[in-house]
Short mmCIF file of all heavy atoms in Angstrom, two decimals:
data_model
loop_
_atom_site.label_atom_id
_atom_site.label_comp_id
_atom_site.label_asym_id
_atom_site.label_seq_id
_atom_site.Cartn_x
_atom_site.Cartn_y
_atom_site.Cartn_z
N TYR K 468 30.78 -43.01 26.41
CA TYR K 468 30.69 -43.58 25.15
C TYR K 468 32.02 -43.38 24.28
O TYR K 468 32.36 -42.24 24.09
CB TYR K 468 29.44 -43.14 24.38
CG TYR K 468 28.34 -44.05 24.42
CD1 TYR K 468 28.14 -44.87 25.60
CD2 TYR K 468 27.32 -44.18 23.49
CE1 TYR K 468 27.07 -45.67 25.66
CE2 TYR K 468 26.33 -45.07 23.57
CZ TYR K 468 26.13 -45.88 24.64
OH TYR K 468 25.02 -46.69 24.73
N TRP O 219 27.99 -57.62 25.32
CA TRP O 219 27.51 -56.33 25.17
C TRP O 219 26.40 -56.33 24.09
O TRP O 219 26.52 -55.98 23.02
CB TRP O 219 28.60 -55.36 24.79
CG TRP O 219 29.61 -55.14 25.93
CD1 TRP O 219 29.41 -54.31 26.94
CD2 TRP O 219 30.84 -55.82 26.19
NE1 TRP O 219 30.56 -54.37 27.89
CE2 TRP O 219 31.40 -55.33 27.35
CE3 TRP O 219 31.51 -56.92 25.51
CZ2 TRP O 219 32.53 -55.78 27.89
CZ3 TRP O 219 32.62 -57.32 26.05
CH2 TRP O 219 33.21 -56.74 27.28
N TRP O 221 21.75 -56.39 23.86
CA TRP O 221 20.46 -56.54 24.53
C TRP O 221 19.66 -57.74 23.81
O TRP O 221 19.61 -57.74 22.65
CB TRP O 221 19.64 -55.23 24.23
CG TRP O 221 20.13 -54.19 25.00
CD1 TRP O 221 20.90 -53.09 24.48
CD2 TRP O 221 19.97 -53.94 26.39
NE1 TRP O 221 21.19 -52.17 25.49
CE2 TRP O 221 20.63 -52.73 26.68
CE3 TRP O 221 19.43 -54.59 27.54
CZ2 TRP O 221 20.77 -52.18 28.02
CZ3 TRP O 221 19.45 -54.12 28.80
CH2 TRP O 221 20.16 -52.82 29.00
N VAL O 252 26.73 -57.62 34.62
CA VAL O 252 26.92 -56.40 35.38
C VAL O 252 25.80 -55.53 35.17
O VAL O 252 24.74 -55.96 34.57
CB VAL O 252 28.29 -55.73 34.91
CG1 VAL O 252 29.39 -56.57 35.19
CG2 VAL O 252 28.19 -55.19 33.49
N LEU O 253 25.70 -54.34 35.74
CA LEU O 253 24.70 -53.36 35.51
C LEU O 253 24.67 -52.84 34.18
O LEU O 253 25.76 -52.64 33.48
CB LEU O 253 24.90 -52.14 36.51
CG LEU O 253 24.64 -52.40 37.83
CD1 LEU O 253 25.04 -51.09 38.73
CD2 LEU O 253 23.25 -52.84 38.33
N HIS O 254 23.50 -52.73 33.58
CA HIS O 254 23.33 -52.02 32.24
C HIS O 254 22.06 -51.07 32.44
O HIS O 254 21.48 -51.15 33.54
CB HIS O 254 23.05 -52.99 31.06
CG HIS O 254 24.09 -54.10 30.91
ND1 HIS O 254 25.28 -53.87 30.29
CD2 HIS O 254 24.23 -55.36 31.35
CE1 HIS O 254 25.93 -55.02 30.28
NE2 HIS O 254 25.22 -55.92 30.94
N SER O 255 21.83 -50.33 31.45
CA SER O 255 20.66 -49.39 31.66
C SER O 255 20.03 -49.42 30.25
O SER O 255 20.69 -49.20 29.31
CB SER O 255 20.88 -48.09 32.15
OG SER O 255 19.72 -47.49 32.51
N PHE O 288 19.93 -47.19 23.69
CA PHE O 288 21.36 -47.16 24.17
C PHE O 288 21.51 -47.87 25.51
O PHE O 288 20.47 -47.97 26.32
CB PHE O 288 21.68 -45.74 24.45
CG PHE O 288 21.77 -44.88 23.24
CD1 PHE O 288 21.11 -43.59 23.16
CD2 PHE O 288 22.53 -45.21 22.16
CE1 PHE O 288 21.22 -42.80 22.15
CE2 PHE O 288 22.66 -44.38 21.03
CZ PHE O 288 21.98 -43.12 20.96
N CYS O 289 22.64 -48.38 25.81
CA CYS O 289 23.04 -48.74 27.12
C CYS O 289 23.57 -47.53 27.87
O CYS O 289 24.45 -46.93 27.41
CB CYS O 289 23.93 -49.85 27.20
SG CYS O 289 24.51 -50.27 28.99
N THR O 290 22.96 -47.06 28.98
CA THR O 290 23.52 -45.91 29.66
C THR O 290 24.14 -46.16 30.99
O THR O 290 24.48 -45.23 31.64
CB THR O 290 22.33 -44.79 29.92
OG1 THR O 290 21.24 -45.53 30.47
CG2 THR O 290 22.06 -44.13 28.69
N GLU O 291 24.29 -47.46 31.36
CA GLU O 291 25.17 -47.69 32.47
C GLU O 291 26.34 -48.34 32.11
O GLU O 291 26.39 -49.40 31.52
CB GLU O 291 24.31 -48.53 33.48
CG GLU O 291 25.06 -48.73 34.89
CD GLU O 291 25.12 -47.44 35.53
OE1 GLU O 291 24.10 -47.04 36.25
OE2 GLU O 291 26.17 -46.91 35.71
N TYR O 292 27.49 -47.55 32.37
CA TYR O 292 28.86 -48.11 32.01
C TYR O 292 28.96 -49.59 32.34
O TYR O 292 28.76 -49.91 33.47
CB TYR O 292 30.04 -47.28 32.56
CG TYR O 292 31.21 -47.82 32.24
CD1 TYR O 292 31.72 -47.83 30.92
CD2 TYR O 292 32.07 -48.31 33.20
CE1 TYR O 292 32.94 -48.39 30.54
CE2 TYR O 292 33.30 -48.86 32.88
CZ TYR O 292 33.75 -48.81 31.61
OH TYR O 292 35.00 -49.46 31.33
N CYS O 293 29.33 -50.41 31.30
CA CYS O 293 29.35 -51.81 31.64
C CYS O 293 30.60 -52.48 31.04
O CYS O 293 30.60 -53.75 30.83
CB CYS O 293 28.18 -52.48 30.93
SG CYS O 293 28.00 -52.12 29.18
N GLY O 294 31.69 -51.69 30.71
CA GLY O 294 32.96 -52.29 30.39
C GLY O 294 33.22 -52.07 28.87
O GLY O 294 32.68 -51.14 28.26
N ASN O 296 32.78 -52.70 25.54
CA ASN O 296 32.03 -52.26 24.55
C ASN O 296 30.71 -51.61 24.90
O ASN O 296 29.71 -51.85 24.17
CB ASN O 296 31.84 -53.59 23.64
CG ASN O 296 31.60 -53.06 22.12
OD1 ASN O 296 31.88 -51.87 21.79
ND2 ASN O 296 30.99 -53.96 21.37
N HIS O 297 30.74 -50.92 26.06
CA HIS O 297 29.60 -50.20 26.49
C HIS O 297 28.88 -49.41 25.40
O HIS O 297 27.68 -49.48 25.13
CB HIS O 297 29.95 -49.30 27.64
CG HIS O 297 28.99 -48.33 28.07
ND1 HIS O 297 27.68 -48.57 28.37
CD2 HIS O 297 29.12 -47.06 28.24
CE1 HIS O 297 27.01 -47.65 28.77
NE2 HIS O 297 27.89 -46.51 28.69
N SER O 298 29.68 -48.64 24.55
CA SER O 298 29.19 -47.92 23.57
C SER O 298 28.62 -48.59 22.37
O SER O 298 28.01 -48.02 21.38
CB SER O 298 30.06 -46.70 23.15
OG SER O 298 31.13 -47.23 22.33
N GLY O 299 28.97 -49.96 22.36
CA GLY O 299 28.46 -50.72 21.23
C GLY O 299 27.23 -51.45 21.67
O GLY O 299 26.59 -52.12 20.79
N MET O 300 26.74 -51.25 22.86
CA MET O 300 25.60 -52.01 23.39
C MET O 300 24.34 -51.16 22.95
O MET O 300 23.64 -50.62 23.83
CB MET O 300 25.67 -52.13 24.79
CG MET O 300 24.74 -53.09 25.32
SD MET O 300 25.20 -53.75 26.96
CE MET O 300 23.70 -54.25 27.71
CU1 CU V 718 26.56 -50.38 29.08
#
Side-chain angles (χ1 to χ4, degrees):
Chain K
Y468 261 31
Chain O
W219 291 276
W221 290 107
V252 299
L253 295 172
H254 305 278
S255 191
F288 292 130
C289 172
T290 44
E291 186 66 73
Y292 173 67
C293 56
N296 205 18
H297 167 54
S298 70
M300 195 165 158

